[in-house]
Amino acid sequence: MSEKNTEALFKAVVDNKLYLGTPKYKYFPKVTDKVMMGEKNGQIVINPNDIVSSLEKVKELVSSFKKDWKSILVVFDKEVFKEDVEKICNSLWVMYLNSKVPSWFFTNFETFSQRISSMNKLREFINSEHFLKLTKKEQLMKKRELKKLEDIYRWVTKLSKKPDLVIIIDWEYYLNTAKELEKIWIDYVAVVNTDLSKLLNTDYLIVANTNSYESIIFLLNYILK
């Protein structure tokens, strides 16, 4: 990246408050001490230069996967960001899970793949003339069944195999998922805050503000475009 673009990214990191970490009492120094610049009013301040460096590295990785048409999956299920995650990922043709992530989704993907397939088939059936031949009660039951599946899997309908790259935001809530991905050797990007309590085995770690709306929206747009 050119010096001019790096300067622009630095300014965006500051403007969008990516440098604001957690309150100090939630801080885990063993994990994120290297990126800590200091503290202000009891809140950890992350070095913006470290964020810039991490963002550039992850963006390069994501771009290489997209160039090779490899599958990328974003995982982030905070309710307040749900609609925005949908808009960003849909506009950039990236799959995502923004509802509750099923336990062992990656290590037991064959089972979940069958559920995704069932959802697709059920959707086709509901849109067919055969569905109209059912009683109203039967139609309602089918629609309810579809909704339960769609609440979790509707944004991964084309995921026919394990994803090539997983991007998980707010890793402190997905530490079991980290174990899954490391066990089956799936590449992953971890976006964490300064409250991360466990070291992660990845070269693609972004320590940044995961509680701010503008921070998350900027970060997603930047690394996925």
Side-chain angles (χ1 to χ4, degrees), residues 19-78:
Y19 64 91
L20 295 177
T22 59
K24 188 178 179 181
Y25 70 89
K26 291 185 177 182
Y27 175 59
F28 278 86
K30 288 184 179 180
V31 179
T32 54
D33 195 46
K34 291 181 179 180
V35 300
M36 176 182 173
M37 190 167 72
E39 63 175 284
K40 185 177 181 180
N41 299 323
Q43 186 172 17
I44 298 299
V45 176
I46 306 163
N47 190 330
N49 285 310
D50 285 302
I51 301 175
V52 168
S53 178
S54 298
L55 286 173
E56 290 177 339
K57 188 175 182 180
V58 169
K59 186 175 181 63
E60 184 177 351
L61 174 73
V62 172
S63 295
S64 68
F65 272 74
K66 292 179 75 174
K67 183 180 179 180
D68 293 334
W69 296 94
K70 292 184 177 181
S71 57
I72 300 172
L73 177 66
V74 172
V75 176
F76 186 41
D77 66 358
K78 274 190 178 180

Side-chain angles (χ1 to χ4, degrees), residues 118-134 138-147 150:
S118 296
M119 176 189 68
N120 292 332
K121 290 178 181 178
L122 183 55
R123 186 187 290 129
E124 289 178 7
F125 175 75
I126 288 176
N127 290 323
S128 72
E129 59 182 20
H130 301 290
F131 176 72
L132 300 176
K133 296 177 182 179
L134 300 180
E138 289 172 330
Q139 289 180 1
L140 182 60
M141 289 176 65
K142 290 292 183 184
K143 287 181 178 180
R144 285 176 176 172
E145 182 183 351
L146 178 62
K147 186 179 184 306
E150 284 188 331

Side-chain angles (χ1 to χ4, degrees), residues 96-110:
Y96 56 96
L97 287 170
N98 68 342
S99 297
K100 182 180 179 181
V101 181
S103 298
W104 312 115
F105 179 81
F106 299 100
T107 51
N108 195 21
F109 183 75
E110 288 185 5

